[in-house]
């Protein structure tokens, strides 16, 4: 019969329409906005696409650990005992070299007395109007000092003053990186041999060896 | 409506407190406020995709993120019916000509949202010979959404930022209710490179300088 | 199947055809052909005067009936000539490409056009003319294609510098160690990305007439001639695009109508030409990887795949190359097939959009896509721009869990083991979604009426016009690179090459459904392989941020969802590509658009275009 195909198709539409209500009933009394309900609605086990909508901004999908959005610089925690807030970056220059759109600018620090380069950046800039969020800088940083951020809510009214991030704007505590990427940061710490910066760990190991092999430095 | 901004509550002027039980039915407000409220809550974006970001814009309009929650689901294909231009992607020199025309055709009040790094400032392709370094070199932009591409949630944050901007405007100061016609933006010309008619003087001065320096030095071989 | 070294696959490909073909050709054309003996190069160099004859012989006598890629290379400082490189295939037998080249001097570069032999050379020769400045004698419509008439110079030539030119190769010295931040426009006298010839002013300048574009389209014909005895029709030209809701981006078609019937159609592109190749030649090899994401931005994973394969072919010329480990190949194929599902769902949804069923079918089609993107996001870090493959493997292994980490206010968390997620996605949700689409659309009378018999592309024409992918296979040509010139672990996977025979819009829709089903079949076979290889390495060798790549040329091609995606890469032994060309299926498939639309109504144009499934990022590059 002519038209049957269209009718069948409309049946699919009707099913989608009904599904929403059927799934509503599923969450009756429990509420569909709870975390458990969210997990079911957005997970792979949902029966249909009935209640699929994420009601931003009342609910937002938390992004996964590997999510990439504009890099940031890792620094020591501000309550670190020895070097609070010290940059992890040693200005080795790998990130500006690997950056595809060349959006990273680093001024390498120099020691005011000797005039020799010292392993920390004097200035560090990222033009986020160039950045393509590819994550290569974070991937190839040998010091785990530059990481990709998860905060995507950056809309602004003006770009001239706001879209070149300087060192202050880029720097975030190590604690923050641990909180947004618990597994990755743990893996990296394991590879480094401790939670601190590679160089700090090296120095500590050196000091420990010099002081007499007594105890491994305790992990924080 | 759980969000405070959305119901009548958002409309009410906090200087005139209304009893709790009447808050869902009555609001005391100003003309500015009600004008902005209606405008912000029913933007009609232009159905206009440029590049990668357009895919995320479509994903935002689709069922998971659902633009209709912002009153924005009516994407109009004609600039004459739209009041929000989402520049979603790399703006090339060849494309800037139609974009400026489209912008000129949009009736006021109109807003522009630059989505992603390319539309904001050129993006990863900025160094290319056919890429415009940011749409704001040609048309005014209200909100910039960084990212490459911004995720749908980032774009929606941009919409909320735009709504905030609209809500802070006043009928007395917005440009589109002044007397007289507002000026159209001159349409760029595709010459040996893109030409902004507003830069005509600058271009002439540079040509004169080049000629002057050529006269003083030995004539340099021109490029083929 | 626990340990299957990938090196074995080298045996799959047929032996290099060059010697055999060269012998056959040099009998006929003793002076016209010789082998390309440069280090790392292969193929045949043909004297330009004999190019058309040799090409005809290749097509008619030796069976190379399909021109895949034609591109130009500028060897400034390396012989100072321009070179046109052609890749041709035998479409019925399959097998690797035969490469032949023709040289021309850089000044007044001219070569004969091969459009008479392979009509598929049309757009590619225009591109070479536009970007490299080679004139093709005998080309009927040699105009600029990606840029505009009047543009100053041919930008892909090595001595052409753009306004923001900083250095020949990345990384730029200005970034480190004394990296004072600046915006590129600050160094430009106009504060923009522009440069003009020295004496250029606007006074007295008349830009090339927009009307020149319409010349030769049949306007100005006397009306009496056209007047038909029946209905009186008028001839007019309609511009579709660049801003049009159904052109899938910023594509423009100039259509000549007689009444409502299409007489001719000319695609105009370049509205998203963002200089991918020029930038790609400045980038180091690894830096190109995220740029390939932005070619066909719906299928970034398979773009990565193709580029990684091309560079791996070059790396294999060196001594210390190790092929990607088995698990890496499994993951690559997993990603490529997921991408195919995503792309075809998208294509079907938006074909329906073009047919006038605005958005509801698209909504249903791209719903499941979100879940696949969730998986990409959790694995690679981004929904669209995955940047996931590396030379010799992939970026990272699959995560243990698909898990969100709360950070912003109101962040809600999903948390599932990855393998469970994949299980239910591949075994339940995707099959269900395809079946639903099938039920929803396939039998719909409206769909059938609009699509059946419209935009027919006969098989001979599909081959001649160099179409690829679903467009080619819907015309009854069972050509799929995964089978014809296999790569990665496809030889051990069980799947059918989907073919349909009518070559109309409806078949191009059906074939996409078929291909999704085949992809799901492949995905199902990958799940056990993923489980078995758990914990095995995902990348071979050491990861270097700027690997040096041995001298030579390579052409890596994959069966992208839209057709053959090829990367022609030339290395001069450094960290940057000397030439980086993308054989974009969306671009070359458009060669046939005009033929497919002729004689149909104006309303069918968008449907035909939708059924080709183009993405402008790749078309214009």
């Amino acid at each position: 019969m002519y038209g049957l195909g269209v009718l069948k198709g409309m049946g699919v539409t009707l099913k989608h329409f009904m599904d929403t209500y059927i799934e509503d009933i599923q969450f009756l009394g429990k509420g569909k906005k709870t975390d458990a309900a969210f997990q079911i609605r957005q997970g792979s086990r949902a029966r249909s696409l009935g209640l699929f909508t994420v009601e931003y901004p009342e609910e937002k999908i938390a992004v996964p650990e590997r999510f990439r959005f504009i890099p940031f610089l890792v620094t020591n925690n501000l309550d670190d005992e020895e070097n609070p807030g010290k940059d992890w970056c040693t200005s080795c220059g790998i990130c500006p070299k690997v950056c595809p759109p060349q959006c990273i600018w680093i001024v390498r620090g120099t020691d005011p007395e000797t005039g020799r380069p010292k392993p920390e950046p004097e200035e560090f800039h990222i033009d986020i109007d160039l950045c393509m969020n590819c994550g290569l800088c974070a991937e190839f940083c040998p010091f785990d000092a530059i990481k990709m951020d998860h905060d995507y809510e950056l809309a602004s009214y003006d770009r001239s003053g706001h879209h070149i991030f300087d060192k202050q704007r880029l720097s975030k505590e190590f604690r923050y990186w641990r909180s947004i990427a618990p597994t990755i940061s743990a893996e990296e710490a394991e590879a480094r041999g401790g939670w601190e910066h590679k160089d700090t760990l090296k120095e500590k190991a050196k000091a420990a060896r010099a002081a007499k092999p007594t105890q491994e430095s305790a992990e924080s | 409506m759980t969000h405070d901004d959305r119901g009548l509550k958002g409309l009410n002027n906090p200087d005139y407190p209304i009893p709790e039980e009447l808050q869902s039915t009555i609001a005391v407000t100003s003309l500015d406020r009600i004008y902005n409220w209606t405008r912000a809550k029913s933007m009609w974006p232009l159905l206009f995709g440029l590049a990668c970001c357009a895919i995320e814009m479509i994903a935002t309009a689709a069922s998971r993120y659902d633009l209709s929650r912002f009153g924005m689901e009516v994407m109009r294909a004609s600039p004459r019916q739209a009041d929000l231009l989402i520049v979603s992607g790399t703006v090339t020199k060849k494309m800037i000509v139609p974009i400026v025309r489209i912008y000129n055709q949009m009736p006021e009040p109109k807003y522009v949202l630059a989505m992603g790094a390319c539309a904001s400032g050129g993006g990863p392709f900025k160094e290319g010979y056919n890429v415009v370094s940011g749409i704001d070199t040609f048309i005014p932009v209200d909100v910039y959404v960084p990212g490459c591409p911004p995720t749908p949630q980032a774009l929606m944050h941009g919409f909320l930022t735009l709504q905030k901007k609209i809500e802070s405007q006043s009928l007395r100061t917005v440009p589109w209710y002044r007397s007289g016609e507002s000026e159209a933006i001159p349409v760029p010309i595709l010459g040996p490179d893109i030409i902004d008619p507003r830069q005509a003087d600058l271009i002439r001065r540079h040509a004169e300088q080049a000629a002057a320096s050529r006269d003083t030095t030995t004539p340099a071989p021109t490029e083929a | 199947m626990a340990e299957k070294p990938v090196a074995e696959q080298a045996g799959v490909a047929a032996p290099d055809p060059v010697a055999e073909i060269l012998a056959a050709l040099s009998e006929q054309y003793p002076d016209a052909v010789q082998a390309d003996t440069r280090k790392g190069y292969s193929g045949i160099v043909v004297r330009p005067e004999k190019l058309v004859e040799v090409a005809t012989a290749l097509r008619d006598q030796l069976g190379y009936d399909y021109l895949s890629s034609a591109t130009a290379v500028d060897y400034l400082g390396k012989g100072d000539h321009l070179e046109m490189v052609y890749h041709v295939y035998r479409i019925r037998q399959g097998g690797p490409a035969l490469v032949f080249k023709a040289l021309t001097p850089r000044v007044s570069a001219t070569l004969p056009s091969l459009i008479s032999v392979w009509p598929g050379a049309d757009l590619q020769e225009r591109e070479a003319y536009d970007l490299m400045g080679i004139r093709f004698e005998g080309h009927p419509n040699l105009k600029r294609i990606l840029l505009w008439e009047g543009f100053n110079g041919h930008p892909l030539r090595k001595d052409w510098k753009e306004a923001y030119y900083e250095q020949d190769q990345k990384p730029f010295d200005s970034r480190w160690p004394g990296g004072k931040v600046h915006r590129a426009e600050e160094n430009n006298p106009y504060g923009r990305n522009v440069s003009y010839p020295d004496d250029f002013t606007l006074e007295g300048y008349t830009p090339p007439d927009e009307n020149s574009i319409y010349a030769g389209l049949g306007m100005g014909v006397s009306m009496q001639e056209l007047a038909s005895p029946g209905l009186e029709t008028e001839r007019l030209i309609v511009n579709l695009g660049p801003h049009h809701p159904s052109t899938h981006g910023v594509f423009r078609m100039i259509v000549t109508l007689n009444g409502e019937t299409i007489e001719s159609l000319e695609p105009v592109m370049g509205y998203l030409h963002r200089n991918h190749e020029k930038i790609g030649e400045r980038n180091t090899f690894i830096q190109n990887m995220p740029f390939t994401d932005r070619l066909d931005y719906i299928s970034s994973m398979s773009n990565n795949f193709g580029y990684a394969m091309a560079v791996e072919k070059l790396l294999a010329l060196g001594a210390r190359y190790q092929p990607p480990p088995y698990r890496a190949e499994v993951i690559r194929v997993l990603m490529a097939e997921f991408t195919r599902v995503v792309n075809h769902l998208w294509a079907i949804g938006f074909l329906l959009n073009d047919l006038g069923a605005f958005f509801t079918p698209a909504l249903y089609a791209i719903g499941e896509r979100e879940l696949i993107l969730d998986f990409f996001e959790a694995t690679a870090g981004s929904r669209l721009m995955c940047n996931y493959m590396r030379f010799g493997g992939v970026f990272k292994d699959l995560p243990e869990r698909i898990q969100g980490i709360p950070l912003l206010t109101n962040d809600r968390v999903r948390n599932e083991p990855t393998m469970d997620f994949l299980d239910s996605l591949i075994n339940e949700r995707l099959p269900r979604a395809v079946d639903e689409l099938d039920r929803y659309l396939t039998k719909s009378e409206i769909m059938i009426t609009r699509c059946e018999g419209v935009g027919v592309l006969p098989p001979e024409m599909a081959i001649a016009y160099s179409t690829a992918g679903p467009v080619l296979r819907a015309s009854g040509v069972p050509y799929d690179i995964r089978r014809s010139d296999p790569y990665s672990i496809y030889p051990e996977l069980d799947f059918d090459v989907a073919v349909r025979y009518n070559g109309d819009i409806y078949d191009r829709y059906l074939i996409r459904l078929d291909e999704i089903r085949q992809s799901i079949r492949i995905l199902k076979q990958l799940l056990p392989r993923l489980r078995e290889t758990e914990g095995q390495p995902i990348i071979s060798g050491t990861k270097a941020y700027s690997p040096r790549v041995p001298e030579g040329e390579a052409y890596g091609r994959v069966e992208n969802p839209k057709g053959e995606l090829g990367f022609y890469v030339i290395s001069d032994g450094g960290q940057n590509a000397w030439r980086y060309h993308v054989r974009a299926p969306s671009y070359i498939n458009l060669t046939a658009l005009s033929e497919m639309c002729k004689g149909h109504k104006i309303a069918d144009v968008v449907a035909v275009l939708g059924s080709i499934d183009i993405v402008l990022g790749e078309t214009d590059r």
Side-chain angles (χ1 to χ4, degrees), chain A residues 109-120:
Chain A
T110 42
D111 201 311
E113 287 165 21
T114 59
R116 304 243 299 269
K118 68 180 178 183
E120 60 189 60

Side-chain angles (χ1 to χ4, degrees), chain C residues 174-239:
Chain C
S174 66
R175 300 301 196 261
W176 179 86
K180 286 284 177 205
V181 67
H182 65 276
R183 288 194 162 101
E185 44 268 57
E186 289 161 15
N187 296 341
N188 186 292
Y190 307 97
R192 303 266 172 101
N193 185 10
V194 290
S195 63
Y196 305 102
D198 261 357
D199 47 357
F200 176 78
T201 53
L202 264 178
E203 285 93 28
Y205 175 76
T206 41
D209 195 0
E210 174 78 338
N211 287 325
S212 67
I213 241 176
Y214 306 117
L217 285 181
M219 288 303 285
V221 182
S222 75
M223 275 303 156
Q224 282 90 357
E225 195 186 299
L226 281 174
S228 49
L231 198 63
E232 202 156 297
T233 57
E234 237 177 275
R235 188 180 277 195
L236 79 157
I237 288 181
V238 174
N239 266 305

Side-chain angles (χ1 to χ4, degrees), chain B residues 48 56 64 77 90 92-94 126-131 133 137 148 191-194 196 199 206, chain C residues 148 152 164 170 185 189-190 192-193 195-196 203 205 243 269 271 273-275 282 294 370 374 383:
Chain B
F48 176 59
E56 286 296 53
R64 191 184 227 174
T90 316
T92 61
K93 290 177 185 170
K94 208 169 172 178
K126 181 174 179 176
E127 62 191 279
Y129 48 84
N130 192 26
V131 176
S133 319
T137 47
C148 188
D193 207 329
I194 191 80
D196 189 341
Q199 281 196 324
H206 278 286
Chain C
W148 58 91
N152 185 25
Y164 282 167
K170 287 179 187 172
E185 44 268 57
Y190 307 97
R192 303 266 172 101
N193 185 10
S195 63
Y196 305 102
E203 285 93 28
Y205 175 76
H243 164 59
M269 38 200 131
Y271 291 97
H273 175 51
R274 35 189 189 184
N275 331 124
R282 195 176 299 127
R294 287 153 179 84
E370 288 287 334
D374 282 349
R383 289 157 50 88

Side-chain angles (χ1 to χ4, degrees), chain C residues 456-564:
Chain C
V456 177
L457 187 69
E460 318 77 55
M461 217 185 248
I463 296 171
Y465 279 106
S466 303
T467 58
V471 180
L472 182 64
R473 289 190 289 273
S475 293
V477 184
Y479 189 78
D480 187 318
I481 301 170
R482 293 174 294 172
R483 276 270 184 269
S484 310
D485 188 10
Y487 54 95
S488 194
I489 60 164
Y490 282 112
E492 63 174 70
L493 295 170
D494 191 23
F495 66 97
D496 297 323
V497 175
V499 194
R500 296 269 168 176
Y501 296 92
N502 296 322
D504 55 4
I505 300 179
Y506 193 58
D507 271 16
R508 286 195 280 274
Y509 154 75
L510 287 176
I511 204 162
R512 294 205 164 92
L513 276 186
D514 297 343
E515 286 192 10
I516 298 177
R517 293 209 164 100
Q518 293 302 327
S519 286
I520 295 173
R521 199 168 143 200
I522 295 175
L523 289 169
K524 281 182 180 164
Q525 298 167 47
L526 292 175
L527 279 176
R529 284 174 169 80
L530 278 176
R531 289 215 171 82
E532 277 166 33
T533 56
E534 209 151 313
Q536 289 180 14
I538 42 98
I539 191 159
S540 64
T542 46
K543 216 152 103 176
Y545 69 87
S546 67
R548 288 192 171 274
V549 173
E551 204 175 334
E553 62 169 0
Y555 183 68
R557 56 171 186 156
V558 286
E559 185 66 37
N560 228 35
K562 295 187 171 64
E564 175 185 337

Side-chain angles (χ1 to χ4, degrees), chain A residues 1-6 9 12-13 16 33-35 38-39 42-47 49 52 57-68 91-94 96-102 104-108 123 125 127 129 132 134 136 139-140 150-153 159-160 163-164 176 179-180 182 184, chain C residues 170-172 174-183 185 283 286-287 290-291 294 360 364 367-368 370-371 374 377-382 385-387 390 395-399 403-416 420-421 424 428-429 432 436 439-440 443-446 449 543-545:
Chain A
M1 191 187 88
Y2 192 82
L4 206 63
V6 174
V12 174
T13 319
H16 268 273
K33 302 241 158 124
T34 60
D35 283 342
F38 186 82
Q39 170 94 18
Q42 296 299 329
S44 65
R45 295 275 159 198
R47 284 190 307 111
L49 288 178
F52 195 44
E58 284 86 26
E59 52 180 22
K60 303 171 185 170
I61 309 181
V63 293
E65 277 188 54
R66 295 181 189 177
F67 184 72
R68 312 186 301 251
S91 75
C92 70
I94 286 183
K97 282 180 201 152
V98 79
C99 175
Q102 297 283 296
I104 303 177
W105 282 263
I106 304 178
V107 176
R108 187 169 56 193
E123 281 174 44
H125 285 102
D127 187 343
D129 282 342
M132 67 201 296
C134 66
L136 288 181
E139 189 180 335
F140 287 99
H150 289 187
D151 181 7
Y152 49 80
E153 296 188 333
R159 79 179 170 98
S160 57
H163 280 198
I164 293 183
Y176 174 77
S179 73
I180 61 169
I184 300 175
Chain C
K170 287 179 187 172
F172 297 150
S174 66
R175 300 301 196 261
W176 179 86
K180 286 284 177 205
V181 67
H182 65 276
R183 288 194 162 101
E185 44 268 57
N283 283 347
I286 187 86
Q287 284 173 347
F291 276 97
R294 287 153 179 84
T360 308
Y364 294 172
E368 298 292 335
E370 288 287 334
L371 284 176
D374 282 349
E377 194 180 31
T379 310
S382 182
M385 305 305 170
C386 299
N387 183 21
R390 297 288 177 270
F395 160 56
K396 259 189 180 155
D397 207 340
L398 305 184
Q403 183 184 8
I405 308 288
L407 170 69
L408 307 168
T409 42
N410 297 334
D411 259 355
R412 297 296 176 87
V413 172
R414 290 159 305 160
N415 190 351
E416 272 184 83
D420 289 4
F421 183 89
S424 70
E428 288 164 37
R429 297 200 62 152
R432 198 170 60 198
E436 190 190 78
R439 213 167 47 242
Y440 185 38
K443 288 275 155 52
S444 167
E445 283 82 1
I446 302 173
T449 320
K543 216 152 103 176
Y545 69 87

Side-chain angles (χ1 to χ4, degrees), chain B residues 26-41:
Chain B
I26 295 179
V28 178
T29 190
S30 61
L31 192 58
D32 264 349
R33 229 179 149 101
I34 197 161
Y35 172 83
N36 290 336
W37 183 75
T38 47
R39 178 145 294 289
K41 263 64 179 181

